[in-house]
Amino acid sequence: MAEVPVEMSLRHGLLGLLAEAPASGYDLTRRFAEVLGPVWPARHPQIYAELTRLADEGLIEVASRGPRGRTAYRITDAGLAEVRRWLAHTETDHTLRVEGVLRSVFFWLMSPQQLQRHLQREVAFYTEMAARYRRLAEAEDRGEYGDEPPVRSLRLAVEAGIRLYETLADWARWAATRPITAPASTAAPATSADPTEPAAGTGAE
Amino acid sequence: MAEVPVEMSLRHGLLGLLAEAPASGYDLTRRFAEVLGPVWPARHPQIYAELTRLADEGLIEVASRGPRGRTAYRITDAGLAEVRRWLAHTETDHTLRVEGVLRSVFFWLMSPQQLQRHLQREVAFYTEMAARYRRLAEAEDRGEYGDEPPVRSLRLAVEAGIRLYETLADWARWAATRPITAPASTAAPATSADPTEPAAGTGAE
DNA sequence: TTACACATGTAACACGTTACATGATTTT
DNA sequence: AAAATCATGTAACGTGTTACATGTGTAA
């Protein structure tokens, strides 16, 4: 209680999910993995630890105990107030941390062949993710999950997923058309003895 | 040398920057803050610690010592090989971690007023960041930094910045038009007595 | 009866931030 | 002479991952 206010997204993510309905650490781990994974990953040890802390602080409480040690938690009034405080009265941390973009700063260290291969894989990945979120959005739009406020909120996050991954796919496609190491006339020349490529097999993969 | 291969973006980010030219911890801290900050933040204690480790492992070496204890490092052949290995032969970590999107999952816990206010601020922030990157891109396109491969690479990262922030700005604007808590007819009705708004001050902050 | 999904946890370590600390050179 | 900037570092802590460990209930 005499603690300084801390910012920490996982804790508020858990509180937010529990604001919808009681859930166990196991449930929450799955929701994080399935829905929030790409936006906010969290493994079970971290989740269980945080739940213990939240309970100690009175922001959540045990709702029920089930079969194999299953412990479901319910959010308390204090917990609800805390998520709301976080949402409405704290600054969003705007750090992005996109490794795919960080790597692009160093593309000049790759051979044109390696770069094309890399960007193709990136495009494939981002496209697939965009499609996955698009399917989710369509299911939601078909009303498969109802249209309660929590579902409408989730729809927004899903839309962000679609748009972000589409943007990254477009970006990677565009990047593939830009000459980096070669002074270049138009696009990739495909063949060239390249000193950046190690002689023999790359080993793994 | 008998170490297991580790993945870790900061270390490769540093190696990548040093592949361009020798630099000190101070220089690298500034480059991370100025250019890579929004994509990959790193504070000086982490950078100095990592530089020490990289030097121990022979991936970089002291290039020169300057005025007030300044120590510039240069990448070694082993270091160059390591960045290249990372770029061409390791999987990109595709985790996004965007707090602004995580928060959207819980928008239903905010009053319409709070939500509009929040989204307005988000739009403002993302728009400003997009503009900042756009200015950088324009300077690069004007040739102000030359057109060497490292600059061309950086141009790609800058483009990603523009596109990602624009996407987020658009998304936030779109989100503001979607009814969450109200069953709604068209757009935001602006006034409504809302039980989600706590009566008095929320306390701290 | 065997395997699988459910369910929770600990320990060790890797990564990252904040606060503190120190001192040198340069600019005003 | 003071302030700003350069330049590096330590210590403590917060956050996040991996590997290990353990046991229960259900379905094949």
Side-chain angles (χ1 to χ4, degrees), chain B residues 133-155:
Chain B
Y133 276 100
R134 207 172 298 110
R135 281 193 293 275
L136 230 185
E138 282 161 7
E140 283 175 355
D141 292 345
R142 258 183 265 117
E144 285 181 27
Y145 302 96
D147 71 332
E148 292 307 298
V151 178
R152 291 174 183 226
S153 287
L154 190 59
R155 180 64 183 77

Side-chain angles (χ1 to χ4, degrees), chain A residues 6-8 10 40-43 45-46 67-68:
Chain A
V6 205
E7 252 38 88
M8 192 201 153
L10 175 63
W40 207 270
R43 317 272 172 206
Q46 208 192 343
R68 33 220 127 185

Side-chain angles (χ1 to χ4, degrees), chain B residues 7-195:
Chain B
E7 252 38 87
M8 191 201 154
S9 300
L10 175 64
R11 109 179 321 227
H12 296 104
L14 293 172
L15 285 174
L17 291 179
L18 289 172
E20 251 178 88
S24 67
Y26 190 82
D27 299 337
L28 293 164
T29 300
R30 280 192 7 199
R31 285 206 73 184
F32 262 90
E34 286 164 13
V35 188
L36 305 176
V39 182
W40 208 269
R43 315 274 173 207
H44 81 265
Q46 209 193 339
I47 289 174
Y48 284 111
E50 193 57 39
L51 286 174
T52 304
R53 250 176 269 132
L54 286 168
D56 286 349
E57 293 172 38
L59 300 178
I60 62 176
E61 61 190 16
V62 174
S64 66
R65 306 219 181 244
R68 43 225 120 178
R70 178 191 165 87
T71 310
Y73 292 92
R74 164 178 41 235
I75 197 167
T76 62
D77 289 348
L80 206 51
E82 172 55 21
V83 215
R84 292 214 162 101
R85 183 194 67 81
W86 174 67
L87 285 168
H89 306 293
T90 66
E91 280 297 313
T92 305
D93 177 351
H94 286 116
T95 307
L96 276 187
R97 238 177 244 277
V98 189
E99 203 194 276
V101 175
L102 176 67
R103 281 178 184 239
S104 70
V105 175
F106 311 117
F107 279 174
W108 64 280
L109 289 164
M110 301 173 86
S111 73
Q113 294 85 341
Q114 288 176 332
L115 180 52
Q116 290 300 318
R117 177 172 164 278
H118 170 72
L119 287 173
Q120 266 169 37
R121 285 156 141 270
E122 291 288 280
V123 168
F125 176 84
Y126 294 134
T127 304
E128 163 59 24
M129 287 302 283
R132 185 184 303 186
Y133 276 100
R134 207 172 298 110
R135 281 193 293 275
L136 230 185
E138 282 161 7
E140 283 175 355
D141 292 345
R142 258 183 265 117
E144 285 181 27
Y145 302 96
D147 71 332
E148 292 307 298
V151 178
R152 291 174 183 226
S153 287
L154 190 59
R155 180 64 183 77
L156 302 186
V158 168
E159 182 71 21
I162 299 172
R163 294 184 185 211
L164 286 170
Y165 283 117
E166 256 172 10
T167 297
L168 287 167
D170 286 347
W171 168 72
R173 262 188 292 264
W174 170 84
T177 69
R178 307 258 309 182
I180 302 298
T181 45
S185 44
T186 32
T191 41
S192 71
D194 195 316

Side-chain angles (χ1 to χ4, degrees), chain A:
Chain A
M1 268 296 150
E3 309 297 304
V4 218
V6 205
E7 252 38 88
M8 192 201 153
S9 301
L10 175 63
R11 112 180 317 229
H12 296 104
L14 293 172
L15 286 173
L17 291 179
L18 289 172
E20 251 177 89
S24 67
Y26 190 82
D27 299 337
L28 293 163
T29 301
R30 282 194 4 201
R31 284 206 73 185
F32 261 89
E34 285 164 13
V35 189
L36 304 176
V39 182
W40 207 270
R43 317 272 172 206
H44 81 265
Q46 208 192 343
I47 289 173
Y48 284 111
E50 193 58 40
L51 286 174
T52 304
R53 250 176 270 132
L54 286 168
D56 286 350
E57 293 171 38
L59 300 178
I60 61 176
E61 62 192 15
V62 174
S64 67
R65 306 218 182 246
R68 33 220 127 185
R70 178 191 165 89
T71 310
Y73 292 92
R74 166 178 41 237
I75 196 167
T76 63
D77 289 347
L80 207 50
E82 172 54 22
V83 215
R84 292 214 163 102
R85 185 195 65 81
W86 175 66
L87 285 168
H89 305 293
T90 65
E91 280 298 313
T92 305
D93 177 352
H94 285 116
T95 306
L96 278 186
R97 239 177 242 276
V98 189
E99 203 195 275
V101 175
L102 176 68
R103 282 177 184 239
S104 71
V105 176
F106 311 116
F107 279 175
W108 64 280
L109 289 165
M110 300 172 87
S111 72
Q113 292 85 342
Q114 288 176 333
L115 180 51
Q116 290 301 317
R117 176 171 165 280
H118 170 71
L119 287 173
Q120 266 169 37
R121 286 157 141 268
E122 291 288 279
V123 168
F125 176 84
Y126 294 133
T127 304
E128 163 59 25
M129 288 301 284
R132 184 183 304 186
Y133 275 101
R134 206 172 300 111
R135 281 192 293 276
L136 231 185
E138 282 160 7
E140 283 175 356
D141 292 345
R142 257 182 266 119
E144 285 181 27
Y145 302 97
D147 71 332
E148 293 307 297
V151 177
R152 293 175 183 226
S153 287
L154 190 59
R155 181 64 183 77
L156 303 186
V158 167
E159 182 71 20
I162 299 173
R163 295 185 184 210
L164 286 171
Y165 283 117
E166 257 173 11
T167 298
L168 287 167
D170 287 347
W171 168 73
R173 262 188 292 265
W174 169 84
T177 68
R178 307 259 308 182
I180 304 297
T181 44
S185 45
T186 34
T191 41
S192 69
D194 195 315
T196 61
E197 189 69 49
T202 51
E205 238 152 316

